[in-house]
Amino acid sequence: MKVDLNDLHAFMAVARAGGFRDGARLTGASASGLSEAVSRLEARLGVRLLNRTTRSVAATEAGERLLERLGPAMNEVEAALDVVNGFRARPAGTLRLNVPVSAARLVLPAIVPDFLAAFPDIRLEVIAEDSFVDVLAAGCDAGIRYDERLEQDMIAVPIGPRTQRFAAAAAPAYLDRRGRPEHPRDLLHHACLRGRFSSGAMTAWEFERDGEIVNVDTTGPLLVSVGAATDLAVDAAIAGTGIIYLFEDWLRPYFLSGALEPVLEPWWQRFSGPFLYYPGRRLVPAPLRAFIDFVKTSRPSPTSTEDSHPRPGKGG
């Protein structure tokens, strides 16, 4: 039975994403094109693979069985095709990265332009979101995450700054009006601009000084989605609405301009920088290998982890 590989890819994308629209977002195809491809595949096989409603799409039992077998098979096909890349003068193909919004804003801008200039035959797709996803299920080759969010059996390579801090800040006018906190617990009496992850978890406001760690359950007039609406919280802080807690690198331009003033700086907590991570059980595609090598050579770090040693995950 002859089946178009593109139709199989379309089915996998829709089944893994749980919908035609989300599948289209991950693949760059149109939702209608994916729908036609899946219908064509079902007609060819003579069996329904997806149950469709106006609100959701889910694999049938036959679809689930096919998906289980297709995943490893497609990985092998891609690996076999990628062998050809070894005969090219320059790596070519598409590299898909799944990254948090903070990495897209604070880490990748210092890397991507030079990488694309060095490898003009590589097309880079960056999917920025703050939900914790399986990079393979999302159709990506690799991801960027922080240490506590790495999955098991993943290989990790340091990328970007190796040490970062979370910073608290507010507009000078707000602090003149409400007072300047001297201890993290003083934040309980302030208007705090909070964030919430797509999972529903609230961002933690954690501070540390001389071995003392203080977690503050802040409240305030504004709650935003982490990543997608973070800039709204920054704008609100600049306008004097309240105190914001965010990556120091994100807020630094506003410190320099005077739009925001650091709050509780001696208490700002340090944490290790992000990692580029990818599955260790499959052949590394040529575009990803080029990116890994570029990251290692352009930003050498004494804390680099070797490719040959998968990094244990801590969940997340």
Side-chain angles (χ1 to χ4, degrees), residues 181-202:
E182 297 181 358
H183 190 279
R185 281 188 283 271
D186 293 342
L187 295 173
L188 295 173
H189 307 293
H190 281 267
C192 296
L193 313 177
R194 305 191 65 189
R196 180 164 57 195
F197 294 102
S198 58
S199 65
M202 303 291 290

Side-chain angles (χ1 to χ4, degrees), residues 154-280:
M154 288 287 176
I155 294 172
V157 175
I159 185 172
R162 299 322 311 140
T163 301
Q164 294 180 274
R165 292 195 299 178
F166 279 117
Y174 171 87
L175 297 172
D176 290 343
R177 185 174 72 251
R178 296 288 299 270
R180 287 163 172 78
E182 297 181 358
H183 190 279
R185 281 188 283 271
D186 293 342
L187 295 173
L188 295 173
H189 307 293
H190 281 267
C192 296
L193 313 177
R194 305 191 65 189
R196 180 164 57 195
F197 294 102
S198 58
S199 65
M202 303 291 290
T203 55
W205 288 45
E206 186 169 282
F207 299 86
E208 183 175 3
R209 185 179 186 182
D210 299 330
E212 179 186 3
I213 297 177
V214 179
N215 288 280
V216 184
D217 187 12
T218 57
T219 60
L222 179 64
L223 176 64
V224 302
S225 298
V226 170
T230 298
D231 280 330
L232 173 60
V234 174
D235 290 341
I238 292 172
T241 305
I243 298 176
I244 191 169
Y245 182 76
L246 192 59
F247 289 91
E248 178 186 7
D249 294 339
W250 200 313
L251 298 177
R252 184 176 294 115
Y254 307 106
F255 294 152
L256 295 176
S257 69
L260 291 176
E261 179 181 322
V263 172
L264 297 169
E265 186 170 1
W267 287 87
W268 290 358
Q269 190 175 57
R270 294 182 180 276
F271 56 96
S272 61
F275 290 84
L276 174 73
Y277 76 104
Y278 57 96

Side-chain angles (χ1 to χ4, degrees), residues 75-95:
N75 288 340
E76 289 299 318
V77 170
E78 291 176 1
L81 293 174
D82 193 68
V83 170
V84 178
N85 252 330
F87 294 91
R88 294 178 181 270
R90 297 182 302 193
T94 298
L95 170 61

